[in-house]
Amino acid sequence: MMQTAALALAVPCAAILLGGLLSGIDRRLTARLQSRQGPPLSQPFLDVIKLMAKERMVTNPWQAFSPVASLGAAAFALVFFALQGDLLVILFVHMVGGVFLVLGAMASPSPYSQTASQRELWQMLSCETLLFLIAGALYLTTGSFRLSELSALPEPLLYRLPLLFAAFFFALTVKMRKSPFDLAGCHHAHQELVRGVFTEYVGPYLGLLEIAHWLDIVLYLAICSLFWATSTPAMILLPLAAFLAVIMLDNVAARLTWRWMLGWGWGAAFVLSALNLSWLKG
Amino acid sequence: MSEAIPVVLLIVPFLAALACFVIRSSACRSFIVIATAAGLAVSSLLLQGPLAPDAGLRWAGIIDPVITGGDFLLLAIMFFLGCRYRNFLIIMLTASQLGLFAWLEFFVFAEDQGHALFAVDILSLVLVRVVCLVGGLICLHAIPYMQAHEQHQNLARSRQPQFFAVLLLFLGAMNGLVLTNNLAHFYFFFELTTLCSFLLIAHDRTEEAVGNALTALWMNGLGGLLLLLAIWGLYSQSAQLDMGGLVAATAGNPAALLPLALLVLAACTKSAQLPWQKWLLGAMVAPTPTSALLHSSTMVKAGVYLALRFAPAFAHTLLAQGLMLAGGFTFFAAAALAIGQRNAKKVLAYSTISNLGLIFACAGIGTPGAVAAGILLILFHAVSKGLLFLCVGTAEQQVHSRDIEVMRGLCAQMPFTGMIAVLGMLTIIVPPFGMLLGKWLVFEAGADHVVFYLMLVLGSSFTLLYWVRLAGTLLASGQTTGFKPEIKPFLTRFPLAALGCGAVMLGLAAPILYGRLLVPLTSLFPVGRAFSAGQAGMLTTAVGSFPLIVVFAVAALIGLLALSGVSKAMVGRKGTAYMSGANTRLPDHFVGPLNRPVRAVVENAYLVPLFGEERWTLWVNLAATGLLFLMLGGALWK
Amino acid sequence: MGLIDKLISTARRRSPWLLHFDCGSCNGCDIETLACLTPVYDVERFGVVNVGNPKHADILLVTGTVNLRNREVLTVLFEQMPEPKVVVAIGACGLSGGIFREAPNVVGGVDKVIPVDVYVPGCPARPEAIIDGVVLALEKFREKSKGKGEGK
């Protein structure tokens, strides 16, 4: 019991540190790819600390409600993951974060945030379906949705789920808000919708959402590590490789339209996953 | 004592309906409705199962002939309606039912002795409480609603007596339907709900209303015919009409599969499964209490009730597989069609069809866990969806439109109704509330079937999308001036508040309910995976676990934190939306040409080309028909 | 000054997010401002980000002459920025209206409409001067924190 409580406290803290660090690596690496020096690794933390100390300002009270709910859901999902819970429950809880992000963004009359909310819904649709398919694959290989069963597998899941891993990479790109799928709120400033769903979140609220975003990325990378859960170095290397690949892609790709994302990107990913699932069954 | 309660639940609504019809005073009518709703609620809570094996037998001598006579009367009325509106289809369907029923009654059915008249198990208990508690609340809400409704119509003579009479009659019919143990009696109540549905849909007497009511009548008439054929087939297999006995006798009997398939088809028409969704969508022209009562929380549940009741009889056959796929397809396709809708009531209707599909799929999966999930879904769906219908109806009377875009910013105009509506939507899509628990149980039970699982995943993502979009639209800060403040009578607010509390808190009861459901279900099913009901506060299936109490506690904690954040935010400076700096004094306007304010109009992306019903209904119906034929074929295979 | 205050004060000085608003400049100063973000000067080294959204910005950079039409927009953008915030006026026009100050539709420099903390002269102002102005603006944050406690 005590152990669980300690884990429930330690996991979100560790994940915040890790997520912020990853974000720092991302910014520095991107700067290097653009032949700039880039900010220090601690930059994301400084940004968030500054944001938390800024003035609160809302156009609709839901903008104050949503970030807390979003962050809470993200942290809770991670704790569940660390406790080796039911992957479906983890995904359901994780989904709540996205729901509230959109609700808060839609609560503002700003046309930028409204338009981006619609796009965010499409992005959620494409990510969530793929994650649930991964849960299905987990069930078909281990006979259970519990993550604790995974360690008993003799060989890495990746051998049996190569197509699903490709689909997961697509979901990771969408979730990390990286080109070519950064439609609803780019990680860099300046895009056609200002900052998309984040446009109307001010100061501390933006800070909370930024932390929630870090936690989401950590959860995705943790899910990525499930693909090679048989050896500890691979569990670290595989997500890291995926993360670096996403950043490289971000720097070489232009933004695509939502039609392309939903039609080709998600359509292909879904078909690949379905194929993979069907041969698992056989 | 316990034996008398089913009779009370049956007789009281009929008497009250009669009283409503005869007494024209509005105050008396309100009193009768309130008293009946309260009485039904109390007696449904007092009802305990299981009853004695000879429950109600001593009244059989009276009830049997009354119901048989009632059957002929009902069919005659429907036949008359068919003639009056010159609807050939209805005439044909009712005439064939009349003939078949007369033949069965006089030549086939032997005098049935010794079978209980009523059976109360956990499934019927859940249904009875849904009917009496949710249905009762909807009736209360209908009192002020119908007064406002008639104000716009300038009627010479109020038509509320008929309306409330039919509403109460319907409650009685539903109670009979779920409590009876005799399949022939079930048929009577089934037909009675069909007739009530016709009368309620046609209530406004507009051309559209009557037309849609006739559609409902013929589709449900078809369902009645199929049911009657199924009864004939089942009776010829085991020579009894006792429902519990029939389930036990037909399980594993390949010859009984065809009548069972007809039974399932009848259930599908009643629950408006694809391709019979048209009548439910058309029924949305009716006043909102009708939609809430018949078309979301109770009547459409009659179909899934029948399928779940007979699920053990066809578990693990090709018929069950076909039903699972058809249900899964309805879940997915109706959710997709809901995305393309900008009529709020139609979104609710499609969502109802979609969720009923999920429940049918549960009956098709045919494991105790899946059937228990289906029963839980019935309960949670009735509460949440009944609530949403009432909210939309209340909103409709304020904004005079069903268009989602007109309801944009409803929470600013009607804080109470708007917030309860948003809460109701959250209880459908967000853990730890009931609907999501039910869906989680279906995920766990259906993951063995890849095709079904794919449909499940797609369907639930679509569901999430249209609910979040609708909730966000209601929350949007729109016009904040120039509307009437929300002052609603107590009878409007009370049902909303009660259903809202129910939708939030009922999820907590899920583990207990699930455990109690599993025990009797396990004995009914021939094979099933080993599983345990788990400890208190934890929902456990064979393949996973949902720590409900923990999730509930954390969700409550996060909710409180977020609310305290809101109260802090209310103190500070009020911001304006980013409009590239060209703001005006109006919140959603920017400075346009000649310094005139221009409204920044953003509408939801309904993606009509991708999800529009005009484009897809035909194809979806074809696919659903194909799946139903596949199911029938599965029944004939052996 | 407690540890948390110190941390916040450091974070503020090392994470200035900019909003650049062109009030009607000849684009000379704008080009020089944007040049700061290029690899040559790379101000992101110091955490500077051009956010293009007043709701996220800490520093408002204004170039060009304020006139009767864009006065409102400038005010709205300034008001939409959450506290603590500083304003940097860039170039001769931003400082005083420049060569346009006698025109009938011109109000004058930025400080006629909103309070300005740092003035960066030049026509156009050089990128080095602009960066210097931003660094001076960062010092203003420290003063503002002292003046108003936590800056709320």
Side-chain angles (χ1 to χ4, degrees):
Chain A
M1 194 62 211
M2 277 308 287
Q3 210 180 351
T4 314
L7 208 60
L9 279 178
V11 166
C13 296
I16 289 173
L17 287 177
L18 179 64
L21 191 67
L22 285 173
S23 172
I25 293 174
D26 168 14
R27 282 177 71 172
R28 197 153 174 97
L29 195 64
T30 303
R32 283 296 160 90
L33 287 170
Q34 297 166 357
S35 24
R36 292 187 287 120
Q37 190 187 340
L41 282 181
S42 59
Q43 190 62 46
F45 297 105
L46 294 172
D47 288 347
V48 164
I49 293 169
K50 174 205 74 181
L51 284 172
M52 298 307 285
K54 289 212 78 159
E55 186 191 8
R56 295 163 203 274
M57 202 162 63
V58 290
T59 52
N60 184 317
W62 274 88
Q63 287 171 341
F65 189 95
S66 294
V68 182
S70 233
L71 177 61
F76 195 32
L78 262 178
V79 172
F80 261 161
F81 193 95
L83 293 172
Q84 304 263 294
D86 187 313
L87 186 55
L88 282 178
V89 179
I90 295 168
L91 295 183
F92 277 135
V93 171
H94 161 76
M95 222 162 60
V96 178
V99 168
F100 278 100
L101 172 65
V102 172
L103 285 184
M106 284 186 84
S108 160
S110 161
Y112 302 105
S113 129
Q114 293 272 346
T115 312
S117 309
Q118 305 291 324
R119 294 186 182 179
E120 175 69 12
L121 282 173
W122 301 122
Q123 292 203 2
M124 267 168 70
L125 174 78
S126 36
C127 286
E128 303 303 336
T129 39
L130 297 175
L131 287 194
F132 277 106
L133 293 183
I134 290 174
L138 184 76
Y139 172 79
L140 289 177
T141 38
T142 65
S144 168
F145 283 106
R146 294 190 189 95
L147 293 177
S148 45
E149 311 282 320
L150 204 64
S151 50
L153 275 188
E155 54 173 21
L157 268 181
L158 188 59
Y159 291 176
R160 304 187 64 187
L161 306 173
L163 298 183
L164 205 54
F165 188 75
F168 172 77
F169 183 74
F170 163 78
L172 184 66
T173 319
V174 174
K175 190 70 203 180
M176 282 177 64
R177 306 190 181 284
K178 292 296 182 193
S179 284
F181 304 118
D182 51 350
L183 307 159
C186 174
H187 216 87
H188 314 289
H190 268 327
Q191 67 153 333
E192 77 270 29
L193 292 178
V194 190
R195 264 209 77 193
V197 276
F198 301 110
T199 305
E200 291 292 307
Y201 288 104
V202 176
Y205 308 120
L206 184 68
L208 288 175
L209 284 177
E210 186 64 27
I211 298 175
H213 182 62
W214 295 348
L215 295 187
D216 278 352
I217 290 175
V218 171
L219 180 70
Y220 266 59
L221 293 179
I223 290 174
C224 182
S225 73
L226 294 182
F227 281 91
W228 205 305
T230 48
S231 101
T232 318
M235 277 181 84
I236 296 168
L237 284 176
L238 187 68
L240 198 64
F243 177 77
L244 294 179
V246 170
I247 292 172
M248 295 302 263
L249 184 66
D250 180 40
N251 278 288
V252 296
R255 182 176 305 134
L256 293 167
T257 63
W258 65 264
R259 278 191 184 80
W260 209 97
M261 179 190 81
L262 225 59
W264 291 102
W266 178 72
F270 190 81
V271 169
L272 284 182
S273 323
L275 273 178
N276 207 154
L277 278 182
S278 59
W279 95 51
L280 270 187
K281 182 70 181 166
Chain B
M1 172 63 192
S2 68
E3 211 177 307
I5 295 175
V7 182
V8 170
L9 286 172
L10 213 61
I11 303 293
V12 167
F14 283 94
L15 293 178
L18 196 66
C20 268
F21 191 68
V22 176
I23 303 169
R24 294 202 59 86
S25 144
S26 148
C28 284
R29 187 170 56 242
S30 303
F31 175 74
I32 294 171
V33 173
I34 295 171
T36 316
L40 286 183
V42 171
S43 6
S44 76
L45 288 175
L46 286 177
L47 185 66
Q48 291 295 335
L51 297 181
D54 60 345
L57 264 189
R58 74 181 98 137
W59 295 296
I62 315 165
I63 291 181
D64 263 338
V66 168
I67 285 188
T68 312
D71 260 324
F72 283 113
L73 183 66
L74 271 180
L75 289 170
I77 294 174
M78 287 192 221
F79 187 77
F80 165 74
L81 284 172
C83 294
R84 184 175 157 201
Y85 292 104
R86 308 241 158 82
N87 191 315
F88 188 64
L89 211 49
I90 294 174
I91 297 176
M92 284 294 293
L93 285 168
T94 40
S96 47
Q97 276 187 76
L98 257 177
L100 185 58
F101 183 72
W103 180 68
L104 285 176
E105 189 61 39
F106 296 127
F107 300 105
V108 178
F109 292 160
E111 193 65 27
D112 186 40
Q113 284 300 331
H115 287 302
L117 217 51
F118 302 113
V120 178
D121 62 359
I122 187 120
L123 175 56
S124 34
L125 264 183
V126 168
L127 257 295
V128 164
R129 286 175 188 169
V130 164
V131 170
C132 292
L133 294 172
V134 181
L137 285 173
I138 293 170
C139 289
L140 295 187
H141 183 270
I143 297 173
Y145 183 93
M146 288 312 286
Q147 272 164 8
H149 184 72
E150 290 208 334
Q151 274 174 5
H152 302 298
Q153 291 184 320
N154 305 323
L155 295 176
R157 191 176 150 86
S158 165
R159 305 197 51 247
Q160 287 185 52
Q162 290 97 306
F163 184 82
F164 281 98
V166 181
L167 218 53
L168 293 176
L169 182 69
F170 168 79
L171 286 188
M174 268 316 281
N175 278 335
L177 188 132
V178 293
L179 287 173
T180 184
N181 188 36
N182 183 315
L183 203 53
H185 295 180
F186 183 92
Y187 170 72
F188 166 71
F189 292 117
F190 194 85
E191 290 294 285
L192 188 55
T193 56
T194 300
L195 184 67
C196 287
S197 154
F198 171 83
L199 292 172
L200 288 172
I201 298 171
H203 177 77
D204 283 346
R205 292 292 159 87
T206 57
E207 202 174 319
E208 190 191 9
V210 173
N212 289 348
L214 286 172
T215 313
L217 192 59
W218 84 252
M219 284 196 177
N220 283 309
L222 177 68
L225 181 61
L226 289 169
L227 180 63
L228 204 53
L229 286 171
I231 294 174
W232 179 24
L234 289 174
Y235 190 81
S236 62
Q237 287 298 322
S238 62
Q240 58 178 335
L241 287 169
D242 177 285
M243 281 166 72
L246 272 177
V247 172
T250 49
N253 176 2
L257 273 185
L258 182 62
L260 283 173
L262 293 176
L263 193 86
V264 169
L265 280 181
C268 285
T269 57
K270 196 71 176 177
S271 292
Q273 291 299 285
L274 304 176
W276 289 297
Q277 78 277 35
K278 194 178 164 208
W279 77 260
L280 185 69
L281 297 172
M284 293 299 138
V285 300
T288 297
T290 310
S291 316
L293 186 61
L294 275 75
H295 308 123
S296 79
S297 50
T298 53
M299 184 174 96
V300 287
K301 298 292 189 318
V304 284
Y305 166 78
L306 188 62
L308 287 174
R309 167 79 60 209
F310 278 87
F314 56 80
H316 307 289
T317 60
L318 282 178
L319 166 63
Q321 296 263 325
L323 180 61
M324 180 185 72
L325 287 183
F329 179 74
T330 301
F331 175 60
F332 148 75
L337 288 173
I339 294 181
Q341 276 303 324
R342 57 183 287 166
N343 175 334
K345 255 183 123 175
K346 268 196 161 178
V347 172
L348 295 185
Y350 270 122
S351 145
T352 303
I353 297 168
S354 160
N355 280 306
L356 291 170
L358 194 60
I359 302 173
F360 270 113
C362 288
I365 296 169
T367 57
V371 174
I375 298 171
L376 286 182
L377 276 174
I378 290 185
L379 170 67
F380 296 134
H381 179 256
V383 176
S384 292
K385 197 55 73 61
L387 171 67
L388 286 181
F389 264 108
L390 295 189
C391 289
V392 168
T394 312
E396 189 193 344
Q397 287 197 331
Q398 177 108 357
V399 300
H400 304 295
S401 173
R402 290 168 175 181
D403 190 336
I404 294 175
E405 294 302 332
V406 178
M407 292 187 186
R408 187 171 281 276
L410 190 78
C411 286
Q413 277 195 46
M414 309 175 74
F416 179 76
T417 313
M419 289 317 274
I420 286 206
V422 171
L423 190 71
M425 291 172 203
L426 287 181
T427 60
I428 294 182
I429 48 175
V430 163
F433 301 120
M435 279 302 284
L436 203 101
L437 292 179
K439 210 173 274 174
W440 175 78
L441 287 170
V442 184
F443 266 89
E444 304 250 315
D448 277 317
H449 314 275
V450 172
V451 178
F452 173 67
Y453 190 78
L454 288 177
M455 295 197 280
L456 198 57
V457 166
L458 277 181
S460 46
S461 301
F462 289 162
T463 307
L464 182 76
L465 194 149
Y466 66 77
W467 283 128
V468 177
R469 192 177 65 189
L470 186 54
T473 312
L474 297 189
L475 284 174
S477 10
Q479 200 77 16
T480 45
T481 49
F483 53 81
K484 287 180 288 182
E486 182 180 17
I487 303 165
K488 294 285 174 201
F490 175 72
L491 279 179
T492 303
R493 279 180 289 129
F494 172 68
L496 291 182
L499 283 174
C501 288
V504 171
M505 299 313 289
L506 261 181
L508 269 181
I512 306 165
L513 211 53
Y514 187 65
R516 280 184 59 191
L517 283 168
L518 281 177
V519 179
L521 284 172
T522 316
S523 60
L524 279 177
F525 283 87
V527 271
R529 288 177 73 152
F531 57 89
S532 62
Q535 66 265 46
M538 185 95 162
L539 208 51
T540 314
T541 67
V543 294
S545 43
F546 199 124
L548 183 68
I549 284 288
V550 181
V551 182
F552 226 100
V554 174
L557 185 72
I558 294 174
L560 284 178
L561 274 178
L563 281 178
S564 82
V566 170
S567 67
K568 272 186 201 158
M570 300 298 275
V571 181
R573 192 150 65 100
K574 195 102 168 70
T576 48
Y578 180 62
M579 298 254 183
S580 306
N583 294 52
T584 60
R585 287 211 184 82
L586 298 166
D588 50 352
H589 287 60
F590 61 90
V591 184
L594 297 175
N595 274 340
R596 293 271 172 76
V598 178
R599 180 142 186 241
V601 182
V602 182
E603 294 199 340
N604 291 333
Y606 294 99
L607 297 197
V608 176
L610 215 56
F611 294 110
E613 58 177 356
E614 285 81 12
R615 175 165 174 196
W616 285 111
T617 299
L618 177 68
W619 300 107
V620 160
N621 282 350
L622 281 179
T625 315
L627 281 172
L628 289 182
F629 271 110
L630 195 75
M631 185 177 89
L632 265 180
L636 289 169
W637 190 255
K638 289 283 153 58
Chain C
M1 202 191 245
L3 185 67
I4 292 181
D5 285 344
K6 224 177 223 169
L7 196 64
I8 290 171
S9 163
T10 316
R12 267 186 197 144
R13 276 181 292 115
R14 290 182 57 188
S15 161
W17 287 3
L18 308 182
L19 172 67
H20 167 215
F21 181 54
D22 170 7
C23 250
S25 131
C26 67
N27 279 166
C29 293
D30 301 321
I31 290 166
E32 300 301 331
T33 306
L34 291 178
C36 302
L37 304 168
T38 58
V40 178
Y41 298 97
D42 187 26
V43 283
E44 208 197 347
R45 281 177 295 164
F46 313 117
V48 175
V49 179
N50 185 8
V51 287
N53 176 359
K55 304 207 151 187
H56 298 170
D58 308 299
I59 300 180
L60 177 59
L61 302 184
V62 191
T63 54
T65 318
V66 182
N67 61 35
L68 292 171
R69 263 192 87 80
N70 62 31
R71 181 172 60 181
E72 304 294 325
V73 178
L74 182 61
T75 322
V76 168
L77 290 180
F78 178 72
E79 276 170 4
Q80 283 182 342
M81 285 170 64
E83 296 282 353
K85 56 192 171 191
V86 283
V87 179
V88 180
I90 295 173
C93 302
L95 264 52
S96 63
I99 56 166
F100 307 109
R101 67 180 180 279
E102 299 294 336
N105 66 328
V106 164
V107 178
V110 176
D111 53 7
K112 291 266 169 67
V113 182
I114 54 174
V116 172
D117 299 277
V118 179
Y119 297 86
V120 179
C123 182
R126 295 178 60 83
E128 291 89 339
I130 296 171
I131 295 175
D132 197 36
V134 171
V135 172
L136 271 178
L138 296 178
E139 292 307 313
K140 295 278 173 186
F141 276 128
R142 204 200 298 256
E143 285 169 28
K144 291 203 175 187
S145 306
K146 267 181 202 155
K148 294 184 202 166
E150 230 200 287
K152 276 184 187 167

